[in-house]
Amino acid sequence: FHGMTKPYDGFIVEPNNDPSVKAYPYNPEKAKALLKEAGYPNGFEIRFGTTTGSYIKDLEVSQVIAQYLGQVGIKVDLESYDEARFSKAIKSKKGDFELYFLGQGGWASVLRALGRTLDGRQSPWAFHQWVNKDWVELYDKASSEPDRSKYIEHVWKAQKITWDEAPWIFLYHQPAIAGVSKSLGDWEIWANEKMLLHYTVLEKLRK
């Protein structure tokens, strides 16, 4: 990505994130030790589904992930899908894979980011079937909490549980890239990749 992104510190962004949550470190030796502890000293085989052309360099990123997994003994069978077939497989929870690469974001609220990503009661992408009773309780409390400080407390605890149990392995924030003429002024691009052009003018007209 030519230095335009970095590993995720957390999937909840400022100012609602827990600053103590940091990006997962690159540590293949620890990964091997954890595999051995889990009863897989020689690794295992896994089917990995990804898209081609849905996100910036999605297939290339998935190939790199497969290489990293291979370095610790996990043999990856990587298969790429077009967006329509992949989306159908995820939402039906009948994909022919155990691991998949998926991009999400642009949510208008923290609760929507949590719910649409992790809450199996409402998320069409919760293929993982992950359920943590403490997390669900915190989410429900945050959903109805009027006090800002208590709301943040619930969100931070939910974020920590998510990070520790890793039902998703959060990787990086995809950069929003737009090609715009130098003659165009007062434009914005949002986190959801929508471009705001309400007050955009050509610079030569401004004069």
Short mmCIF file of all heavy atoms in Angstrom, two decimals, residues 81 84-97 100 123-129:
data_model
loop_
_atom_site.label_atom_id
_atom_site.label_comp_id
_atom_site.label_asym_id
_atom_site.label_seq_id
_atom_site.Cartn_x
_atom_site.Cartn_y
_atom_site.Cartn_z
N TYR A 81 -13.09 -15.73 -5.26
CA TYR A 81 -14.47 -15.71 -5.72
C TYR A 81 -14.80 -14.33 -6.29
O TYR A 81 -14.21 -13.33 -5.89
CB TYR A 81 -15.43 -15.97 -4.54
CG TYR A 81 -15.33 -17.31 -3.89
CD1 TYR A 81 -14.28 -17.60 -3.02
CD2 TYR A 81 -16.29 -18.29 -4.10
CE1 TYR A 81 -14.19 -18.84 -2.39
CE2 TYR A 81 -16.22 -19.53 -3.48
CZ TYR A 81 -15.16 -19.80 -2.62
OH TYR A 81 -15.09 -21.02 -2.00
N ALA A 84 -20.31 -11.45 -6.04
CA ALA A 84 -21.67 -11.98 -5.89
C ALA A 84 -21.66 -13.37 -5.24
O ALA A 84 -22.42 -13.63 -4.30
CB ALA A 84 -22.37 -12.03 -7.24
N ARG A 85 -20.80 -14.24 -5.72
CA ARG A 85 -20.75 -15.61 -5.20
C ARG A 85 -20.21 -15.62 -3.76
O ARG A 85 -20.68 -16.37 -2.91
CB ARG A 85 -19.88 -16.49 -6.11
CG ARG A 85 -20.00 -17.98 -5.85
CD ARG A 85 -19.54 -18.78 -7.06
NE ARG A 85 -18.13 -18.60 -7.34
CZ ARG A 85 -17.18 -19.47 -6.97
NH1 ARG A 85 -17.52 -20.56 -6.30
NH2 ARG A 85 -15.93 -19.27 -7.27
N PHE A 86 -19.23 -14.77 -3.52
CA PHE A 86 -18.63 -14.71 -2.19
C PHE A 86 -19.63 -14.18 -1.17
O PHE A 86 -19.79 -14.73 -0.08
CB PHE A 86 -17.40 -13.80 -2.25
CG PHE A 86 -16.61 -13.75 -0.98
CD1 PHE A 86 -15.80 -14.82 -0.61
CD2 PHE A 86 -16.64 -12.64 -0.15
CE1 PHE A 86 -15.05 -14.79 0.56
CE2 PHE A 86 -15.91 -12.59 1.01
CZ PHE A 86 -15.11 -13.67 1.37
N SER A 87 -20.32 -13.09 -1.52
CA SER A 87 -21.30 -12.50 -0.62
C SER A 87 -22.43 -13.48 -0.29
O SER A 87 -22.86 -13.59 0.86
CB SER A 87 -21.88 -11.23 -1.24
OG SER A 87 -22.83 -10.62 -0.40
N LYS A 88 -22.87 -14.22 -1.30
CA LYS A 88 -23.93 -15.21 -1.09
C LYS A 88 -23.46 -16.31 -0.14
O LYS A 88 -24.21 -16.75 0.75
CB LYS A 88 -24.34 -15.81 -2.43
CG LYS A 88 -25.48 -16.82 -2.33
CD LYS A 88 -25.88 -17.36 -3.70
CE LYS A 88 -27.03 -18.36 -3.59
NZ LYS A 88 -27.42 -18.89 -4.92
N ALA A 89 -22.21 -16.73 -0.30
CA ALA A 89 -21.67 -17.79 0.55
C ALA A 89 -21.57 -17.34 2.01
O ALA A 89 -21.89 -18.09 2.93
CB ALA A 89 -20.29 -18.21 0.05
N ILE A 90 -21.15 -16.08 2.21
CA ILE A 90 -21.02 -15.55 3.56
C ILE A 90 -22.38 -15.41 4.23
O ILE A 90 -22.60 -15.88 5.35
CB ILE A 90 -20.31 -14.17 3.54
CG1 ILE A 90 -18.86 -14.32 3.04
CG2 ILE A 90 -20.34 -13.54 4.94
CD1 ILE A 90 -17.97 -15.13 3.94
N LYS A 91 -23.32 -14.77 3.53
CA LYS A 91 -24.62 -14.48 4.13
C LYS A 91 -25.44 -15.75 4.37
O LYS A 91 -26.24 -15.81 5.30
CB LYS A 91 -25.39 -13.50 3.27
CG LYS A 91 -24.76 -12.10 3.27
CD LYS A 91 -25.54 -11.12 2.40
CE LYS A 91 -24.92 -9.74 2.44
NZ LYS A 91 -25.65 -8.77 1.59
N SER A 92 -25.24 -16.76 3.54
CA SER A 92 -25.96 -18.02 3.73
C SER A 92 -25.26 -18.91 4.76
O SER A 92 -25.82 -19.91 5.19
CB SER A 92 -26.05 -18.78 2.40
OG SER A 92 -24.77 -19.22 1.98
N LYS A 93 -24.02 -18.50 5.12
CA LYS A 93 -23.19 -19.27 6.06
C LYS A 93 -22.95 -20.69 5.55
O LYS A 93 -22.86 -21.64 6.33
CB LYS A 93 -23.82 -19.27 7.45
CG LYS A 93 -23.94 -17.88 8.06
CD LYS A 93 -24.60 -17.89 9.42
CE LYS A 93 -24.58 -16.53 10.08
NZ LYS A 93 -25.22 -15.47 9.30
N LYS A 94 -22.83 -20.80 4.22
CA LYS A 94 -22.60 -22.10 3.61
C LYS A 94 -21.39 -22.09 2.68
O LYS A 94 -21.31 -22.85 1.72
CB LYS A 94 -23.85 -22.55 2.84
CG LYS A 94 -25.07 -22.78 3.71
CD LYS A 94 -26.28 -23.21 2.88
CE LYS A 94 -27.49 -23.43 3.77
NZ LYS A 94 -28.70 -23.83 2.97
N GLY A 95 -20.45 -21.19 2.97
CA GLY A 95 -19.26 -21.12 2.14
C GLY A 95 -18.39 -22.35 2.29
O GLY A 95 -18.32 -22.96 3.36
N ASP A 96 -17.72 -22.73 1.22
CA ASP A 96 -16.87 -23.91 1.22
C ASP A 96 -15.47 -23.54 1.72
O ASP A 96 -14.47 -23.82 1.07
CB ASP A 96 -16.81 -24.51 -0.20
CG ASP A 96 -16.12 -25.87 -0.20
OD1 ASP A 96 -16.18 -26.56 0.84
OD2 ASP A 96 -15.52 -26.21 -1.23
N PHE A 97 -15.41 -22.89 2.89
CA PHE A 97 -14.13 -22.48 3.46
C PHE A 97 -14.31 -22.23 4.96
O PHE A 97 -15.42 -21.99 5.43
CB PHE A 97 -13.60 -21.21 2.78
CG PHE A 97 -14.65 -20.17 2.50
CD1 PHE A 97 -15.15 -19.36 3.51
CD2 PHE A 97 -15.16 -20.00 1.22
CE1 PHE A 97 -16.12 -18.40 3.25
CE2 PHE A 97 -16.14 -19.05 0.95
CZ PHE A 97 -16.62 -18.25 1.98
N TYR A 100 -11.87 -16.67 5.81
CA TYR A 100 -12.16 -15.81 4.66
C TYR A 100 -11.69 -14.39 4.92
O TYR A 100 -11.53 -13.96 6.06
CB TYR A 100 -13.65 -15.82 4.31
CG TYR A 100 -14.60 -15.35 5.40
CD1 TYR A 100 -15.07 -14.03 5.44
CD2 TYR A 100 -15.05 -16.23 6.37
CE1 TYR A 100 -15.95 -13.60 6.42
CE2 TYR A 100 -15.94 -15.82 7.36
CZ TYR A 100 -16.38 -14.51 7.38
OH TYR A 100 -17.25 -14.09 8.36
N SER A 123 -25.85 -9.61 12.52
CA SER A 123 -24.86 -9.46 11.47
C SER A 123 -25.01 -10.51 10.37
O SER A 123 -24.97 -11.71 10.64
CB SER A 123 -23.44 -9.58 12.04
OG SER A 123 -22.48 -9.60 10.99
N PRO A 124 -25.17 -10.08 9.11
CA PRO A 124 -25.22 -11.04 8.01
C PRO A 124 -23.85 -11.64 7.69
O PRO A 124 -23.75 -12.59 6.94
CB PRO A 124 -25.73 -10.19 6.83
CG PRO A 124 -25.26 -8.81 7.15
CD PRO A 124 -25.34 -8.68 8.64
N TRP A 125 -22.79 -11.06 8.29
CA TRP A 125 -21.43 -11.54 8.01
C TRP A 125 -20.86 -12.38 9.15
O TRP A 125 -19.69 -12.73 9.12
CB TRP A 125 -20.51 -10.36 7.74
CG TRP A 125 -20.94 -9.56 6.57
CD1 TRP A 125 -20.82 -9.90 5.24
CD2 TRP A 125 -21.61 -8.30 6.59
NE1 TRP A 125 -21.37 -8.92 4.45
CE2 TRP A 125 -21.86 -7.93 5.24
CE3 TRP A 125 -22.02 -7.45 7.60
CZ2 TRP A 125 -22.50 -6.74 4.91
CZ3 TRP A 125 -22.66 -6.26 7.27
CH2 TRP A 125 -22.89 -5.93 5.94
N ALA A 126 -21.66 -12.67 10.17
CA ALA A 126 -21.15 -13.42 11.32
C ALA A 126 -21.05 -14.91 10.99
O ALA A 126 -21.64 -15.75 11.66
CB ALA A 126 -22.04 -13.19 12.53
N PHE A 127 -20.30 -15.21 9.96
CA PHE A 127 -20.10 -16.59 9.51
C PHE A 127 -19.39 -17.41 10.59
O PHE A 127 -19.52 -18.62 10.66
CB PHE A 127 -19.25 -16.56 8.23
CG PHE A 127 -19.10 -17.87 7.52
CD1 PHE A 127 -20.10 -18.32 6.67
CD2 PHE A 127 -17.97 -18.65 7.67
CE1 PHE A 127 -19.96 -19.52 5.99
CE2 PHE A 127 -17.83 -19.85 6.99
CZ PHE A 127 -18.82 -20.29 6.15
N HIS A 128 -18.64 -16.71 11.43
CA HIS A 128 -17.82 -17.36 12.46
C HIS A 128 -18.64 -18.01 13.56
O HIS A 128 -18.14 -18.86 14.29
CB HIS A 128 -16.88 -16.33 13.10
CG HIS A 128 -17.55 -15.05 13.45
ND1 HIS A 128 -18.42 -14.93 14.51
CD2 HIS A 128 -17.50 -13.82 12.88
CE1 HIS A 128 -18.87 -13.69 14.59
NE2 HIS A 128 -18.34 -13.00 13.61
N GLN A 129 -19.90 -17.59 13.74
CA GLN A 129 -20.77 -18.16 14.78
C GLN A 129 -20.21 -17.92 16.19
O GLN A 129 -20.50 -18.67 17.12
CB GLN A 129 -20.97 -19.67 14.55
CG GLN A 129 -21.49 -20.05 13.19
CD GLN A 129 -22.97 -19.74 12.99
OE1 GLN A 129 -23.76 -19.95 13.89
NE2 GLN A 129 -23.34 -19.27 11.83
#
